[in-house]
Amino acid sequence: GENVEQHPSTLSVQEGDSAVIKCTYSDSASNYFPWYKQELGKRPQLIIDIRSNVGEKKDQRIAVTLNKTAKHFSLHITETQPEDSAVYFCAARTSNTGNQFYFGTGTSLTVIP
Amino acid sequence: EAEVAQSPRYKITEKSQAVAFWCDPISGHATLYWYRQILGQGPELLVQFQDESVVDDSQLPKDRFSAERLKGVDSTLKIQPAELGDSAMYLCASSLKGSGNTIYFGEGSWLTVV
C-alpha cells in the first residue's frame, strides 16, 4: 500500500515568518493530495488540496506544491499568525485499492507571537 | 454547511466491556470511512464502505471490532471487548462516490478504556 512520510514532526516559527511542511509518498498511482488542519480536540479540516495534474496551488497565505517525479509535496504558509498554530496532516489518495486515503504522522506547528 | 455527525463525543468504558459509535455521513456521500487516531499520530483507516458494502477492512481487528452500514447511510462501529490499547479518537468521514473527491471528517468520538 501507500506510505506517506511527513516532516518535521514539530515546527516553531515567529509570527510573520513562513512555515513549510514536507511529505513524501511511495505509490505512483496516488493522484490527490489534501492537507488538513487539526486543532486540539477537534476534527481535521481540509485547508487546501492538489491533484496530480497540477504542480502548484495557492489560496491566500497557503500554497501547496507537488513534484510527481520525486513523489513529494509541500505545504507553505506565509505571514504566519498565532491562529495558524495546530497540527497539520498531509494525505495521499491512491487509485489502487478503492481510492484509499493515507495520512502522514502530522506536524505540530506553533506560531510564537 | 452539512457535516458528518458522530456520537457519542466522549466515552469512558471499562476494559472488557462493549462500546459502540455511530456516524451519519453528509447526505449523498456514498463512501464512509472509520479512522482511529491515537494522540500525536495521523488517522489510520479501520474500514471503508461504498454504500453498504465494505471496500477495505484489512486494518480492522476483526476479533474485537465490527462495523456495519446496513442501509448505506449511517454506520455503527463496535468494539467488544474493549482493551486498554483501544483508547483513541475514532473519526468517521465521508465523501462523494468516485475519484477526485475529498473526505470530510466528523468531530470524532473520544474513547478512554480504564
Side-chain angles (χ1 to χ4, degrees), chain A residues 13-83:
Chain A
V13 299
Q14 290 291 136
E15 182 177 358
D17 288 349
S18 295
V20 180
I21 302 170
K22 298 181 179 181
C23 288
T24 61
Y25 63 99
S26 60
D27 189 347
S28 57
S30 288
N31 55 15
Y32 174 66
F33 307 91
W35 284 88
Y36 288 84
K37 175 183 179 181
Q38 187 176 28
E39 297 176 0
L40 190 62
K42 297 191 175 182
R43 75 181 82 195
Q45 293 200 305
L46 177 73
I47 56 171
I48 196 167
D49 56 12
I50 191 166
R51 303 187 189 281
S52 57
N53 59 348
V54 176
E56 184 174 358
K57 183 177 178 180
K58 191 172 181 179
D59 182 5
Q60 298 182 342
R61 297 186 297 109
I62 296 173
V64 56
T65 58
L66 171 64
N67 183 326
K68 285 179 58 180
T69 303
K71 294 196 185 75
H72 67 70
F73 55 113
S74 300
L75 176 71
H76 304 253
I77 306 174
T78 59
E79 300 172 23
T80 54
Q81 301 168 3
E83 51 265 39

Side-chain angles (χ1 to χ4, degrees), chain B residues 8 11 24-25 30-32 39 46-48 50 55 59 72 78 83 97:
Chain B
K11 180 71 177 180
D24 191 13
T31 308
L32 185 147
L39 199 61
L46 292 174
V47 61
Q48 178 181 340
Q50 184 68 45
V55 172
Q59 301 302 310
K78 296 179 181 177
E83 295 182 353
K97 186 177 180 178

